[in-house]
Amino acid sequence: VVGTWIAEKEIKRRGENGDVIWDGLIWVLPAGIIGARIWYILNSIFGGSSYYLNDPVKMLYITEGGLHFFGGLIFGGIALYYFLKSNGMDFWLFLDAIAPAALIGQALARPANFINQELYGPPTKLPWGILINNFSSRLSQYSDVSKYPLETTHFHPTFAYEMILNILAALLLLW
């Protein structure tokens, strides 16, 4: 919603009807969710997991897996392309207006990585380091609790670094 609002403002600033972007959500959201799920599953399979291959029905269980931003972006982008072309709109103008919104959307999704205790970097002594105190969330190289105690080892929050960079890049594009 935040991304769509930003895109609407940018589209209007460029002299087009920004309300069209809200109509496009009817196409973009379902395609984006399906694409995000497909990308997540493929990423898991190509990463060496046989979880979904052993029981393909689990591909439908979103609560037992997840969604991946890039799949949502690609499939949503394809749906947006067809929606805009079928309505005689300039795809490139809309894509340009949506770029900052996509970065903000990615930034707003990043706190989920903290909740899931994933996408963190190496151990750090910096004050903003985060605890990964769920043993099953630890990467194998940091699973030795005698060397990396659960209660005291902090890790770089690389997802937060990305979040900050996404917001800065979006602000630069809006500027």
Side-chain angles (χ1 to χ4, degrees), residues 1-49:
V1 172
V2 171
T4 306
W5 177 77
I6 291 169
E8 175 191 21
K9 299 296 179 204
E10 280 298 293
I11 292 164
K12 284 181 180 176
R13 190 174 70 78
R14 288 167 165 76
E16 292 287 330
N17 179 6
D19 295 335
V20 171
I21 200 70
W22 294 100
D23 297 335
L25 279 181
I26 295 169
W27 297 90
V28 172
L29 280 177
I33 291 168
I34 291 166
R37 182 63 177 163
I38 289 170
W39 192 284
Y40 180 88
I41 292 166
L42 291 175
N43 195 40
S44 175
I45 291 169
F46 291 134
S49 174

Side-chain angles (χ1 to χ4, degrees), residues 20-21 23-24 27 78-88:
V20 171
I21 200 70
D23 297 335
W27 297 90
I78 292 168
L80 181 65
Y81 174 80
Y82 285 109
F83 170 77
L84 292 172
K85 285 300 178 187
S86 67
N87 287 291

Side-chain angles (χ1 to χ4, degrees), residues 75-158:
F75 279 62
I78 292 168
L80 181 65
Y81 174 80
Y82 285 109
F83 170 77
L84 292 172
K85 285 300 178 187
S86 67
N87 287 291
M89 303 278 185
D90 181 357
F91 176 70
W92 295 108
L93 180 134
F94 276 75
L95 205 58
D96 189 45
I98 290 169
L103 288 166
I104 295 294
Q106 174 75 341
L108 293 175
R110 283 292 151 226
N113 299 126
F114 175 72
I115 293 166
N116 294 334
Q117 294 199 326
E118 60 189 5
L119 300 181
Y120 55 88
T124 183
K125 299 286 185 197
L126 294 171
W128 56 82
I130 59 168
L131 284 173
I132 304 297
N133 53 12
N134 180 353
F135 184 75
S136 65
S137 296
R138 289 272 183 103
L139 295 171
S140 60
Q141 64 263 38
Y142 306 121
S143 61
D144 182 357
V145 292
S146 65
K147 191 174 178 183
Y148 304 105
L150 289 175
E151 301 81 21
T152 58
T153 304
H154 292 78
F155 295 89
H156 277 282
T158 54

